[in-house]
Amino acid sequence: MDDSAPHLLHSIFAWLVGASQVLGVASVVLTGVWMGHYRGGFSWDGSEQEFNLHPLCMVLGLVFLQGDAILVYRVFRSEPKKNLKLLHAIIHLLALTLSIIGFVAVFDFHRAAKIPDMYSLHSWCGMATLVLFCLQWVMGLLFFLFPVASSWIRASYLPIHVFCGLVLLIMAIGSCLLGITEKLLFSITSTYALFAPEGVLANILGLLLVCFGMLIGYLTTRKEYRCLPNPEEESLSVHFKTLTEGGSPSSP
């Protein structure tokens, strides 16, 4: 019975990771269908079709890829930490690149259509998320991938970095939900309350994003799914314990 417990735990983990990927891919696909089928497709000419790149890039970058970057440390938990850090940083860089493209697209559209920028709660939350995401990425490079700080400083920052990663994912999903509602109210105000197909699709998209975030949060916070310890991690843990509990570096 005891021997079957690790296998069961691994099976549950695999199913949860698979479910998260299904939810993430479905969110991206639904965003593409929404913008492609209901909103006229995509282009880069300052028109509404250029605006359509904004939601697609944000869902793909700041939500799906950011979530997958977080999962790197759970899915490949037995791999060398240096490889995981590099993969984590690369996926985040790709997410950042797509997010910047999405922001440029919406600003281009606003300029062409003479629409004011940065007046809505959605835009404020989205900009805050992007700025903090950039800062988080740079801090991760300086503290972990190409560390310039001492081990005890890195140890004190590590839990903050992990916490901020989850907060940023929550902020990104929250910004998406605000954007979905805003777009629907701008586009189909008269038919939204009548359960128009476009509105139903967008609502389902919002639910998928929430479920994706919940699964990522669950997989990230469960202790049994964390990376297997290695000398570097144990060293950081000991230093952090010394800082917070006053223990000695040799304490277990």
XYZ file of all heavy atoms in Angstrom, residues 44 57-58 95-105 130 134:
119
model
N -1.867 44.183 -39.207
C -0.984 45.150 -38.525
C -1.023 46.451 -39.316
O -0.059 46.858 -39.961
C 0.436 44.599 -38.428
C 1.292 45.382 -37.471
C 2.056 46.483 -37.755
C 1.441 45.157 -36.067
N 2.666 46.950 -36.614
C 2.318 46.155 -35.562
C 0.924 44.204 -35.187
C 2.682 46.221 -34.225
C 1.288 44.274 -33.855
C 2.158 45.266 -33.380
N -2.248 37.965 -27.844
C -0.877 37.997 -27.309
C -0.861 37.980 -25.793
O 0.012 37.352 -25.177
C -0.146 39.238 -27.825
S 0.314 39.170 -29.564
N -1.812 38.652 -25.173
C -1.822 38.710 -23.711
C -2.190 37.357 -23.103
O -1.587 36.916 -22.125
C -2.790 39.791 -23.218
C -2.539 41.182 -23.785
S -0.795 41.642 -23.940
C -0.340 41.862 -22.250
N 7.212 35.081 -23.279
C 5.964 35.666 -22.786
C 6.045 37.187 -22.778
O 5.088 37.878 -23.160
C 5.659 35.133 -21.381
N 7.181 37.714 -22.344
C 7.368 39.167 -22.304
C 7.338 39.753 -23.706
O 6.724 40.811 -23.939
C 8.697 39.485 -21.614
C 9.090 40.958 -21.514
C 8.038 41.747 -20.752
C 10.454 41.096 -20.834
N 7.982 39.095 -24.650
C 8.007 39.572 -26.037
C 6.596 39.639 -26.623
O 6.202 40.643 -27.240
C 8.884 38.657 -26.908
O 10.211 38.613 -26.365
C 8.937 39.158 -28.343
N 5.826 38.570 -26.430
C 4.448 38.559 -26.932
C 3.603 39.638 -26.262
O 2.762 40.278 -26.911
C 3.825 37.183 -26.690
C 4.319 36.050 -27.597
C 3.826 34.702 -27.079
C 3.845 36.268 -29.024
N 3.833 39.845 -24.969
C 3.069 40.858 -24.238
C 3.363 42.253 -24.763
O 2.453 43.079 -24.910
C 3.397 40.775 -22.746
O 3.104 39.492 -22.240
N 4.627 42.521 -25.058
C 4.994 43.832 -25.602
C 4.351 44.031 -26.972
O 3.842 45.121 -27.289
C 6.524 43.964 -25.679
C 7.112 44.034 -24.262
C 6.922 45.206 -26.480
C 8.620 44.010 -24.215
N 4.343 42.978 -27.810
C 3.678 43.062 -29.102
C 2.195 43.382 -28.911
O 1.616 44.211 -29.624
C 3.849 41.749 -29.891
C 5.309 41.555 -30.293
C 2.949 41.733 -31.132
C 5.603 40.197 -30.919
N 1.573 42.728 -27.925
C 0.162 42.989 -27.641
C -0.087 44.417 -27.205
O -1.086 45.036 -27.611
N 0.811 44.965 -26.397
C 0.652 46.351 -25.952
C 0.859 47.321 -27.114
O 0.117 48.309 -27.251
C 1.645 46.660 -24.825
C 1.068 46.467 -23.457
C 0.914 45.198 -22.920
C 0.651 47.553 -22.707
C 0.367 45.014 -21.667
C 0.096 47.379 -21.447
C -0.041 46.111 -20.921
N 1.857 47.071 -27.950
C 2.088 47.936 -29.106
C 0.871 47.932 -30.024
O 0.456 48.975 -30.558
C 3.346 47.487 -29.873
C 3.481 48.251 -31.189
C 4.599 47.697 -29.025
N 0.267 46.766 -30.204
C -0.903 46.652 -31.087
C -2.053 47.514 -30.595
O -2.686 48.228 -31.391
C -1.334 45.182 -31.182
N 2.386 44.285 -16.590
C 3.518 44.211 -17.521
C 4.783 44.803 -16.898
O 5.869 44.219 -17.015
C 3.188 44.942 -18.819
C 4.295 44.903 -19.884
C 4.541 43.473 -20.346
C 3.944 45.792 -21.072
N 8.186 42.677 -16.050
C 9.536 43.017 -16.513
C 10.514 43.070 -15.341
O 11.631 42.534 -15.426
C 9.526 44.363 -17.229
S 8.633 44.394 -18.793
